[in-house]
Amino acid sequence: MPITGVKGSFRDPSGRVYEVDGRIVRTIRPSFLQQFEFVKSTGLFDRLESEGHLLPVRVINEEIPRHFPEGGVSALLEAPRVPFISHPYEWPFSALKAAALLHLDIHLTALERDVTLSDASAYNVQFQGCHPVFIDHLSFRRYQPGELWQAHRQFCEAFLLPLLLRALFGCPHNAWYRGHVEGISLEEFSRLLRWHHYFNRNLLTHVILQSWLQHTGRSTAYNLPKTGAIPTALPRERFQRLLRDLRDWIAGMSPADRQPSTWQEYVNQNSYDQAERGVKKRFITDFVAMTSTVEVWDFGCNAGEYSKAALEGGASRVVGFDFDQGALEACFKRSVDEGLAIQTVFLDVANPSPSQGWGQMERLGLRERASGGAVLALAFMHHLVISKNIPFGELLDWLMELAPRGVIEFVPKSDPMVQRLLHLREDIFPDYTWEYWHAHVQRMARILKTKRVSSTGRTLIAYERN
Amino acid sequence: MVGRRVAAMGFMVLLFSVATVQPASAYVDPGSGSILLQLILGGIAGIGVVAKLYWQRLKHGVSHFLRKP
């Protein structure tokens, strides 16, 4: 029976996550059992689960001897599999903000029941559509009156500073976060601040003062308590006020770069009309219904128009990928406003998320998360081929390896949008033809349907891999 | 002098309280800046600790300055 340890769970000494025959199980070690039992007895898990804030788990202790005969496991939990694990460096601003607020709300609810969160890793939050959900039951432990918030700095680096980067400077967090993996470091971020930021009370407290104390306190750190709880150091009401202040501050944050981005406006500026869009939507809806596809990955999702069409065709969920921050925000907002199961993910296809972190396995890359569903790539490939010089055939291979079926749109060179891309550069793309494309897809897949959707020659192909 | 006495008292209260409690199990490195910040936010005992730390630094700085030729 294959049991694989999930690499991202190595930090927590209280238990570990394993994959057993496709199921996700979580061990609790003897040293943490008492803490877990206490938290469970407070009713906190039941409340958070009923609110949809916490992934529900089932205790399956009867399976311990079968899966862990060597011992060392005091309890075993089974959690439902989150369909698409995403990383904070793949979230748009609004998603990171929703995750931060969820973390703080859960902590405030927990403190009322004498429970606290022992860490503030952003990876403990995952998304179901646009809804953040907390996934780590072992982060909860008994609160000791007066103890400090151990994870304050971690919260700042994992949530607060990435949000501030966009809210203060209009700079998306994604690239910087991906480089550091655990967030944006306090010391580096504080170097960006200017004198006028000193007049912001929250910035002064959580960023400027913390950074200054970090710097100057380093040499006197031997005078500080070694680790752990310090009774009466931070009375509970001050702890709660700290969390509430952060919550209010973050809730009011919005990106500083408010002008519409290129692709946010694209839906209203492209070269094809409403009727053609209707034809595309029907094609997608029919494809999803015909193939009974459950999960769709929509590359270049823009504001989620075709993601929505996939849901209307019967898909249970869509992961919408885009590299344009404005488009991602529009898609996230549509998902929230219309209650759609669209998960919005930042992705530059020319540089997709790699597997990284400890052992280069801690946070899996996009390819390692390949879907059993379908890919959509509408009005997408010509940008990568013509703007980024990605070989046409290689791009097709990459897309078709991610899922067993899909719909891809071919946009010919005669199309005004491609002409615009070619306007200032030499045409060095002899392979970019319908014939090459059609033959390439046919080599690997069965073509289910083709449909010309515009007078300029845009054509959709639905395929199923051999 | 009163300030120093308050600071020293705060520091002693803190040391005493730390010495009497087992640290909670945690795998997060809190960072000295966050600890000091929360001690300040926490109130009088914490402010005492921070004042004590920086008073020593100030004293050292002043004596260093006065000793310069």
Side-chain angles (χ1 to χ4, degrees):
Chain A
M1 194 165 290
I3 297 183
T4 324
V6 172
K7 296 285 181 188
S9 64
F10 69 89
R11 280 205 178 90
D12 191 348
S14 46
R16 193 146 187 189
V17 181
Y18 293 85
E19 198 171 336
V20 181
D21 289 337
R23 295 159 66 203
I24 299 294
V25 299
R26 171 156 221 154
T27 58
I28 296 178
R29 295 203 177 114
S31 58
F32 193 71
L33 186 64
Q34 207 184 352
Q35 292 279 6
F36 179 75
E37 296 291 354
F38 169 76
V39 178
K40 204 161 175 289
S41 73
T42 65
L44 179 69
F45 289 155
D46 294 334
R47 174 168 167 190
L48 294 175
E49 284 174 18
S50 69
E51 289 169 337
H53 292 160
L54 182 68
L55 206 63
V57 283
R58 193 162 74 86
V59 178
I60 50 164
N61 289 347
E62 68 280 3
E63 294 190 28
I64 293 174
R66 184 149 56 100
H67 301 312
F68 300 94
E70 69 282 6
V73 175
S74 290
L76 191 64
L77 312 176
E78 180 176 8
R81 181 180 277 276
V82 175
F84 180 79
I85 296 285
S86 59
H87 306 313
Y89 45 83
E90 297 173 329
W91 300 343
F93 178 88
S94 297
L96 183 62
K97 176 172 159 177
L101 294 178
L102 176 81
H103 185 98
L104 294 168
D105 285 339
I106 286 179
H107 207 161
L108 282 163
T109 308
L111 278 174
E112 286 167 13
R113 296 174 186 239
D114 287 335
V115 174
T116 187
L117 285 168
S118 57
D119 66 309
S121 166
Y123 297 88
N124 284 343
V125 180
Q126 286 298 324
F127 279 84
Q128 293 176 325
C130 54
H131 301 293
V133 60
F134 199 85
I135 63 164
D136 187 6
H137 288 70
L138 273 56
S139 282
F140 296 90
R141 62 167 173 76
R142 187 194 284 265
Y143 167 73
Q144 298 177 44
E147 70 170 287
L148 296 176
W149 182 14
Q150 290 286 307
H152 172 250
R153 185 180 69 155
Q154 193 184 23
F155 179 87
C156 291
E157 296 192 337
F159 292 104
L160 179 66
L161 301 183
L163 288 169
L164 279 174
L165 191 64
R166 184 85 183 275
L168 293 180
F169 307 110
C171 179
H173 66 275
N174 307 83
W176 195 347
Y177 206 130
R178 179 164 129 182
H180 273 301
V181 186
E182 291 305 317
I184 293 178
S185 91
L186 187 70
E187 284 178 317
E188 289 181 12
F189 181 87
S190 53
R191 289 189 196 122
L192 300 177
L193 296 175
R194 296 291 169 266
W195 64 269
H196 59 89
H197 293 126
Y198 284 67
F199 294 98
N200 179 315
R201 182 176 64 88
N202 287 315
L203 273 177
L204 189 63
T205 309
H206 294 284
V207 185
I208 296 165
L209 193 55
Q210 188 186 172
S211 173
W212 181 69
L213 289 167
Q214 181 84 16
H215 182 69
T216 55
R218 191 170 289 145
S219 58
T220 45
Y222 58 84
N223 277 336
L224 293 173
K226 196 166 173 290
T227 53
I230 307 168
T232 71
L234 187 68
R236 186 195 308 239
E237 67 276 12
R238 296 198 186 177
F239 194 167
Q240 288 166 322
R241 200 197 307 161
L242 184 69
L243 296 172
R244 270 196 296 270
D245 284 352
L246 275 170
R247 197 203 183 285
D248 291 346
W249 186 24
I250 289 171
M253 282 183 195
S254 59
D257 48 329
R258 288 172 194 225
Q259 70 279 20
S261 66
T262 313
W263 298 100
Q264 204 170 352
E265 294 288 281
Y266 179 74
V267 173
N268 303 318
Q269 290 177 355
N270 57 25
S271 61
Y272 50 97
D273 63 21
Q274 193 62 39
E276 288 167 4
R277 275 154 59 185
V279 173
K280 281 171 83 167
K281 279 194 220 171
R282 266 196 304 282
F283 189 93
I284 291 155
T285 307
D286 291 348
F287 160 78
V288 171
M290 183 175 71
T291 54
S292 306
T293 299
V294 175
E295 180 170 301
V296 171
W297 285 14
D298 183 3
F299 289 96
C301 66
N302 210 296
E305 195 177 8
Y306 300 113
S307 303
K308 186 179 173 183
L311 292 172
E312 285 166 356
S316 302
R317 54 188 177 270
V318 175
V319 184
F321 298 94
D322 212 303
F323 80 106
D324 183 278
Q325 296 291 340
L328 286 168
E329 289 301 327
C331 190
F332 189 86
K333 186 171 184 309
R334 180 197 285 261
S335 182
V336 172
D337 292 349
E338 300 180 29
L340 303 173
I342 305 174
Q343 191 171 345
T344 314
V345 172
F346 170 83
L347 173 71
D348 175 3
V349 171
N351 186 21
S353 301
S355 290
Q356 58 176 357
W358 163 240
Q360 285 178 281
M361 292 285 281
E362 188 183 354
R363 306 293 167 211
L364 294 182
L366 187 72
R367 190 190 282 268
E368 284 68 31
R369 287 172 277 166
S371 157
V375 291
L376 294 186
L378 306 175
F380 166 76
M381 289 196 302
H382 55 295
H383 296 289
L384 289 151
V385 173
I386 292 169
S387 304
K388 303 270 187 177
N389 286 16
I390 293 178
F392 197 20
E394 286 182 29
L395 180 59
L396 275 168
D397 292 345
W398 183 81
L399 265 175
M400 293 175 76
E401 278 166 15
L402 287 175
R405 64 189 75 82
V407 173
I408 306 181
E409 181 178 10
F410 176 74
V411 184
K413 280 185 187 166
S414 55
D415 187 274
M417 299 306 282
V418 180
Q419 282 300 310
R420 202 188 287 180
L421 293 175
L422 285 169
H423 184 63
L424 290 175
R425 63 175 305 176
E426 188 188 348
D427 183 354
I428 50 166
F429 312 102
D431 290 344
Y432 191 83
T433 64
W434 163 259
E435 289 74 23
Y436 177 88
W437 185 56
H438 191 262
H440 197 96
V441 174
Q442 246 181 340
R443 270 209 297 274
M444 283 196 291
R446 187 164 57 92
I447 291 178
L448 304 173
K449 200 173 167 186
T450 60
K451 175 87 179 166
R452 190 180 159 107
V453 290
S454 81
S455 54
T456 60
R458 287 172 176 250
T459 306
L460 300 181
I461 275 190
Y463 65 88
E464 189 136 45
R465 230 169 39 199
N466 294 326
Chain B
M1 282 309 281
V2 175
R4 282 188 66 183
R5 208 176 299 145
V6 169
M9 208 188 301
F11 190 51
M12 289 312 291
V13 166
L14 191 89
L15 277 184
F16 176 74
S17 55
V18 170
T20 52
V21 160
Q22 289 296 311
S25 99
Y27 61 95
V28 173
D29 168 23
S32 54
S34 170
I35 296 264
L36 286 166
L37 174 68
Q38 289 181 69
L39 292 177
I40 293 171
L41 296 177
I44 189 71
I47 291 169
V49 174
V50 177
K52 173 87 176 167
L53 293 179
Y54 290 102
W55 176 248
Q56 285 170 347
R57 284 173 74 91
L58 184 69
K59 248 183 10 182
H60 178 77
V62 169
S63 61
H64 185 71
F65 177 76
L66 291 177
R67 243 183 275 131
K68 269 187 177 175

